[in-house]
Each structure stands twice: as structure tokens, then as C-alpha cells.
Amino acid sequence: MEKEEIESFQQFILDKSKNGQKANILALVGSGLSVSSGLHTYGNNSDLASNVSWRNYSSIDLATPDAFETNPGLVWLFYAYRRHLALLATPNNGHKILADLSNLTSNLNFLTITQNMDGLHERVHHNSDSLLEFHGSLFEVICTNFNCNYRSFNFNDPLTPSLDVTKYIDSKTMELPKIENISQLPLCPICGTLLRPGVIWFGEALPLYLIDKADEFIIDYNIDILLIIGTSHSIWPTSSYIDLIKNQGGKIAVFNTIRDLELEKLNSTTKVWQFIGDCATTLPEIFNPILINWKNSQ
């Protein structure tokens, strides 16, 4: 990373938060942030849900309401596997920086919109009021009975004996367990109906309240900096926020492993910083001096 670009970015943030004013920052986060925590991206796609590939099953086999209705056992085996891997993962320094920023309410207005479902933001104590999980959470379960509103978060592993991941985690040597009865899967403790993972599948709309919260933040605060972290920003609605913030006069900072050539084209009218490398390394390198400055000024 070029020293001049780093210093330019840091000075911009610090200037925005001088004289009792707050900097306004929106972070768009994709699964590239969690790679250093040991969570790979499926199908080499940084926006995980859009190109699932697991044991030769495609996204149509695993990540749609129809797939769950047709074969809930297979879908639950896949999501139990992902829960297990997420629980084995450890939040990295990139997650920690975002958590620190979310809790500095005296210095900035901050919101993270994450496309990740791995729960790593919560485990590093990201401010829950400043976190929107657009694709849901691996650790939420929801009753499929429309007349029952049961939903809960839990970190049980396995969720049921039949979803014991140790029996099939090695895809080369272990066959998937046979799920022959719905009773082998997670059931609602209230009505006994089958539970589903609390994630957003293809064909399902994002919860309107999440979109509303994101829109309200962008409208209420004139965004100074849009952080694009570990994502290709290709999925709606996160892709639309670039134009919204650009039109507000905001700047853009990219934290990714490759240079974003499309955003680079904006540089003639909108300042775009690109910090190339592992997000778990580049985020602390850029933001730690800013955090130290704010701490020393208090």
C-alpha cells in the first residue's frame, strides 16, 4: 500500500471528526473478511450465498425454499456443516476493528451492513445497533409454521444427533447421514413444526426493516466514507449504495485482495482509495492510528 494514500485516507477521517463533529461511515462487508478466520468462500464468490458449491450440490439444491421443501434433511446437513465451521472460526483483527468503530459513538456515526452469516461480528462484540445482517444468520432458527412466530438464536452443535457434523465433515471419506424422518431435524419447541435456518435464500426478499434501517442511516447522515470490505459489491441492494453515497459527495475506500477496476473509474469525480491485501491486515493497519488518535484526544 502506498504511504501517501494511507495518510490521505487517515487525514480525511480525522479532519471529519474534528471540533466535536462526527465522521459518518458506512461499511459494506462480504465473506472476504472472514477468509483469515478460516471460512472459505463457496464457488470463489465473495458474496457467499450466490454461488454455493458443496459436495457437488449447487445453490439450487441447497439455498432455495424449494430445496428445503423437497429435501429438508440435505439442506439442514449443509447448514449444520456451515454452523460447525463458523463455530470453529475465530474473529480476526478486521472484525475487531469494525467492532471498535461501531462502539466509538462519541467520534462517529457508524453502520456495518454485512452479507456474512457466520456470527463473527457478534462474537467480537460489534455494537448490535450498528450491525445489519442482510443475509441472516447461521445461528438463528425459525419455525416454518406460519401460525407460529417462534425464532431464536443458539450456538448448539450439533442441533440434533442426526446433524452431528463429525460424522460427515470429511467429504472425501464420509457419506452423508441418512435423514429418514422429520423428527431427526430441529423442531419447534412450541408447536413441534420443522425449524429452518434463519438465512435468506434465493427467491426470498430481504426483510424490509433491514433495508429501511440502511436507507434511514444514509438519509439521516451525509455519508463521508463508504468502506467496501471483502466483497465485490455486486448484489442488490448493497450495489446501489455506491451511487447513493457518491451522489451525496461521499468518498469510497476499498479493502480487498484485488483492485476494483470499476470503482477506479470513478476516481475522476469521486475519491476512491484502494487498500489491497488481506482485510484482516489492512483494516488494522489503516484504522489503528485513527483509533489511537481519537483515544489520545479524549
Side-chain angles (χ1 to χ4, degrees):
M1 294 186 293
E2 296 183 8
K3 181 179 179 181
E4 293 80 6
E5 283 290 279
I6 295 174
E7 292 177 347
S8 168
F9 176 80
Q10 291 170 337
Q11 195 58 52
F12 179 82
I13 297 289
L14 292 172
D15 286 345
K16 285 293 180 179
S17 61
K18 284 182 178 178
N19 303 319
Q21 297 182 349
K22 292 185 179 183
N24 302 317
I25 300 178
L26 173 64
L28 302 182
V29 177
S31 61
L33 177 62
S34 295
V35 169
S36 286
S37 295
L39 298 178
H40 62 80
T41 59
Y42 289 81
N44 294 322
N45 189 300
S46 63
D47 302 305
L48 186 58
S50 65
N51 194 13
V52 172
S53 177
W54 179 68
R55 287 176 170 260
N56 297 320
Y57 290 107
S58 71
S59 56
I60 301 302
D61 300 313
L62 299 169
T64 68
D66 286 344
F68 188 70
E69 182 176 353
T70 302
N71 196 341
L74 174 64
V75 174
W76 259 122
L77 286 168
F78 171 62
Y79 281 97
Y81 168 77
R82 288 184 60 186
R83 281 170 61 104
H84 181 78
L85 294 185
L87 286 171
L88 292 178
T90 301
N92 61 55
N93 288 332
H95 294 104
K96 293 175 183 176
I97 285 293
L98 295 179
D100 288 342
L101 291 172
S102 75
N103 288 297
L104 284 171
T105 55
S106 61
N107 295 94
L108 73 165
N109 298 303
F110 185 81
L111 178 68
T112 295
I113 296 174
T114 184
Q115 299 167 96
N116 298 343
M117 313 173 204
D118 52 36
L120 294 180
H121 292 290
E122 290 90 342
R123 286 169 56 190
V124 78
H125 307 300
H126 192 294
N127 188 330
S128 60
D129 293 331
S130 300
L131 178 65
L132 301 181
E133 294 176 302
F134 263 29
H135 291 174
S137 172
L138 294 172
F139 301 102
E140 183 178 30
V141 291
I142 302 173
C143 185
T144 56
N145 181 352
F146 289 110
N147 295 317
C148 179
N149 61 3
Y150 177 80
R151 62 171 60 209
S152 70
F153 284 86
N154 73 73
F155 295 91
N156 300 339
D157 186 29
L159 281 166
T160 69
S162 296
L163 297 180
D164 184 351
V165 174
T166 62
K167 297 177 181 178
Y168 63 95
I169 193 168
D170 187 340
S171 61
K172 294 181 180 179
T173 61
M174 297 179 179
E175 293 185 2
L176 291 175
K178 300 295 183 183
I179 305 293
E180 299 175 342
N181 194 298
I182 293 297
S183 64
Q184 296 174 262
L185 299 175
L187 301 178
C188 177
I190 295 178
C191 69
T193 304
L194 179 65
L195 296 173
R196 58 160 285 177
V199 301
I200 304 300
W201 285 324
F202 285 117
E204 295 183 321
L206 296 182
L208 186 58
Y209 78 92
L210 292 178
I211 298 175
D212 286 345
K213 284 187 175 181
D215 290 344
E216 288 170 7
F217 184 83
I218 294 171
I219 292 171
D220 291 345
Y221 304 105
N222 197 48
I223 305 301
D224 298 311
I225 288 282
L226 171 65
L227 307 179
I228 298 175
I229 302 169
T231 177
S232 64
H233 62 80
S234 61
I235 296 179
W236 186 90
T238 56
S239 57
S240 66
Y241 296 145
I242 294 173
D243 286 334
L244 286 174
I245 290 166
K246 180 185 68 174
N247 293 337
Q248 283 185 343
K251 317 300 182 186
I252 299 172
V254 179
F255 294 80
N256 220 330
T257 54
I258 58 174
R259 185 168 292 275
D260 192 313
L261 299 181
E262 288 299 313
L263 290 180
E264 203 164 72
K265 295 176 183 178
L266 299 178
N267 237 332
S268 58
T269 57
T270 300
K271 176 60 182 176
V272 178
W273 292 274
Q274 301 219 38
F275 304 115
I276 308 305
D278 182 354
C279 306
T281 300
T282 55
L283 281 168
E285 182 176 346
I286 301 300
F287 275 100
N288 272 332
I290 296 173
L291 296 175
I292 291 172
N293 183 288
W294 281 338
K295 183 178 180 180
N296 289 340
S297 63
Q298 291 179 348

